[in-house]
Amino acid sequence: MENTSRRRFLQTAGTGAAALALSARSSPAAANERIVVGLIGPGGMGTNHLKGLLARKNVEVAYVCEPDQKRLAAAAKLVETKSKKTPRAVKDMRQVYDDRQVDAVFIATPDHWHAPAAILALDAGKNVYVEKPMTHNIREGRLLADAVKRSGKLLQVGTQSRSTACVQEAMQRIREGEIGDILVAKSWNSQLRRSIGKTKPGKPPDYLDYDLWIGPAPMVAYRSNMLPGIWRWWRDFGAGDIGNDGVHDIDVTVWGLGVTTHPTRVTCLGGKYFFDDDQQWPDTQYAIYEYPVEGKPAIRKQLIFEQRIWSPYVQEGYENGAAFYGTEGMLIIGHSNGWKLYGKRNKLIAERTGGADLAAHHQNFFDCVRGDKKQLNADVTAGHLSASLCHLANISARVGRVLHFDPSTEQILNDPEAAPMVRRKYRDGHWAVPKGV
């Protein structure tokens, strides 16, 4: 039953909302005291973080870290231009972690580096903001939760809807029962991606330290359609678009559905239905997750995820979003557009517009680092639950059958083919391989 599974999950994690607040204590800084930050991975989404950090008072970007020398130089120049200070530009994150003056790091690397880099940072005494999905595989989520607990430091996941006022209001309305009891919720990722083409192994460009970029993942030959950014379509480095854009909407759906543990049954049909290229993850997916209801063993809740990355058409009014189906109404929310709440007979009761607020998410993180607030909006537990749904759907799609999952042990049951997929293979002897894998 969910109550037993939930207790075991939180006891094992040590990182439920209450446990995290008690165990992850940062060193409070005065409101006017400078917080020194290092940014790991300043390209792509990392550039957005960098611009936001440079716009803040009392935050100093002391390091930018990147194995691509062109991106590294561009990031250092941006810091110099905006702050009139020269950051240390390094390619090895260990140089950032070794500096005791660094209070926090922002990690916006490819997915395969998220958990290993965050664990190293926590163990080095740094507070961490890590991009979504929090992990490359399910096992890494448990290892990250353990690292937060033993380090006493903070970890915020880059699912910024959790700090967006518009979304928070929608979740509050759900909590207050405005649409009744919710037994089914759905999220979707519908947009048009591009083909990545087909390539053959080649030589990495001279400006890229490819060995450092690969990190703890197994060494594979460089391909021109593998980076930058395109790594998310390769199994060794990403989780597909379900782990890229899809996890944002999955995370909101988990939040609104009110589930606090993993599902017990998962199924996903999906594959490459549209693109004829080197992508290894599905371009089309339909996943269903089933949760027991605490104290009601005969009742289940259901979360559904749909993905079509070849179809740029709005669904229920929003390109990417989530829907909550209640006994007294329905709430539809877009990832960056707002929401509409309907009552009986489809009567529009309330609506609001507004996009995701990255600045507010940064603010929540820094407020907790300073000790002004005690609760992160997207803590390690939230990140683990949502990322695990992406990984479970991908596993189910690969093996082509229903998975039975034990939330307390975080193991797939009675399936010798699928069970090992909760972990990944790492490069033998690499310095960033997490302990306990």
Side-chain angles (χ1 to χ4, degrees):
M1 293 187 296
E2 187 188 20
N3 55 348
T4 303
S5 297
R6 180 175 181 272
R7 283 197 299 270
R8 288 176 180 169
F9 173 80
L10 294 178
Q11 287 168 358
T12 305
T15 51
L20 183 65
L22 290 172
S23 66
R25 303 213 186 270
S26 62
S27 299
N32 61 351
E33 187 175 340
R34 179 188 60 178
I35 293 178
V36 179
V37 172
L39 175 59
I40 318 293
M45 186 62 191
T47 302
N48 293 331
H49 288 306
L50 184 56
K51 291 177 179 178
L53 294 171
L54 292 171
R56 289 186 171 274
K57 296 179 179 179
N58 300 324
V59 171
E60 177 189 350
V61 180
Y63 285 86
V64 286
C65 177
E66 168 64 53
D68 181 322
Q69 290 300 311
K70 289 185 176 180
R71 286 189 162 198
L72 182 62
K77 183 178 180 180
L78 180 59
V79 176
E80 291 177 3
T81 301
K82 296 292 186 180
S83 70
K84 310 303 179 185
K85 295 181 180 180
T86 301
R88 290 195 62 185
V90 300
K91 66 178 183 179
D92 189 329
M93 65 185 70
R94 289 174 291 183
Q95 293 178 258
V96 184
Y97 300 161
D98 286 344
D99 190 335
R100 297 183 64 181
Q101 298 303 310
V102 175
D103 300 304
V105 295
F106 277 62
I107 298 170
T109 61
D111 295 354
H112 72 285
W113 262 113
H114 284 179
I119 290 170
L120 288 169
L122 290 163
D123 286 341
K126 313 304 181 190
N127 298 293
V128 173
Y129 182 113
V130 62
E131 262 303 324
K132 53 71 198 169
M134 189 182 79
T135 57
H136 179 268
N137 56 82
I138 294 170
R139 176 59 182 165
E140 287 180 345
R142 176 59 39 230
L143 297 177
L144 254 182
D146 291 344
V148 168
K149 184 178 181 180
R150 71 171 172 264
S151 70
K153 293 298 178 180
L154 301 170
L155 183 141
Q156 176 97 302
V157 182
T159 44
Q160 56 265 26
S161 291
R162 293 259 179 174
S163 296
T164 299
C166 174
V167 181
Q168 290 174 336
E169 181 185 341
M171 296 300 104
Q172 184 62 30
R173 286 174 176 267
I174 286 174
R175 293 285 181 271
E176 292 175 353
E178 291 193 25
I179 61 172
D181 295 330
I182 302 170
L183 296 180
V184 177
K186 178 176 68 176
S187 52
W188 58 89
N189 176 24
S190 176
Q191 57 186 300
L192 179 60
R193 295 296 189 184
R194 296 179 180 179
S195 168
I196 70 170
K198 295 183 178 181
T199 63
K200 294 182 179 180
K203 181 182 178 182
D206 292 338
Y207 56 81
L208 174 69
D209 187 329
Y210 185 61
D211 183 81
L212 198 56
W213 185 89
I214 289 284
M219 177 56 71
V220 297
Y222 170 85
R223 289 175 181 261
S224 60
N225 64 350
M226 202 159 66
L227 70 158
I230 321 170
W231 47 261
R232 58 178 44 92
W233 312 126
W234 297 84
R235 286 177 181 157
D236 282 330
F237 311 116
D241 217 31
I242 188 175
N244 178 39
D245 271 1
V247 71
H248 281 294
D249 304 297
I250 287 173
D251 184 64
V252 170
T253 310
V254 169
W255 187 10
L257 192 58
V259 292
T260 56
T261 186
H262 297 293
T264 54
R265 287 204 300 172
V266 180
T267 188
C268 179
L269 287 176
K272 288 181 64 177
Y273 294 2
F274 182 80
F275 289 109
D276 180 19
D277 60 6
D278 285 337
Q279 291 184 55
Q280 295 177 331
W281 292 114
D283 57 34
T284 306
Q285 284 180 282
Y286 279 75
I288 303 174
Y289 311 86
E290 188 176 72
Y291 298 83
V293 175
E294 185 174 354
K296 299 179 180 180
I299 307 273
R300 299 287 186 270
K301 286 188 176 184
Q302 191 178 93
L303 190 154
I304 302 166
F305 174 74
E306 304 178 9
Q307 176 168 284
R308 294 169 297 279
I309 58 173
W310 42 265
S311 177
Y313 306 106
V314 298
Q315 176 177 325
E316 300 192 52
Y318 301 105
E319 187 177 67
N320 286 21
F324 302 92
Y325 305 108
T327 55
E328 302 293 328
M330 174 177 65
L331 189 144
I332 314 293
I333 187 166
H335 174 58
S336 300
N337 304 92
W339 50 264
K340 294 181 180 180
L341 189 152
Y342 298 89
K344 292 183 177 180
R345 300 183 181 275
N346 294 317
K347 181 181 179 181
L348 181 62
I349 303 297
E351 63 181 314
R352 182 170 173 180
T353 59
D357 193 339
L358 183 62
H361 209 42
H362 285 185
Q363 187 63 51
N364 172 250
F365 176 63
F366 287 125
D367 284 345
C368 291
V369 170
R370 295 185 188 280
D372 296 336
K373 290 185 178 180
K374 295 182 179 180
Q375 183 60 49
L376 293 163
N377 289 337
D379 63 23
V380 69
T381 299
H384 183 35
L385 291 177
S386 296
S388 293
L389 294 186
C390 303
H391 304 320
L392 285 167
N394 282 337
I395 294 170
S396 179
R398 287 183 69 179
V399 300
R401 54 183 168 269
V402 175
L403 304 179
H404 297 269
F405 192 68
D406 185 335
S408 60
T409 63
E410 298 183 333
Q411 298 294 319
I412 296 170
L413 305 176
N414 305 317
D415 194 323
E417 180 186 6
M421 295 182 188
V422 302
R423 289 172 159 82
R424 73 159 304 156
K425 292 182 179 178
Y426 295 92
R427 193 154 34 142
D428 289 341
H430 193 273
W431 52 267
V433 174
K435 296 177 181 178
V437 296

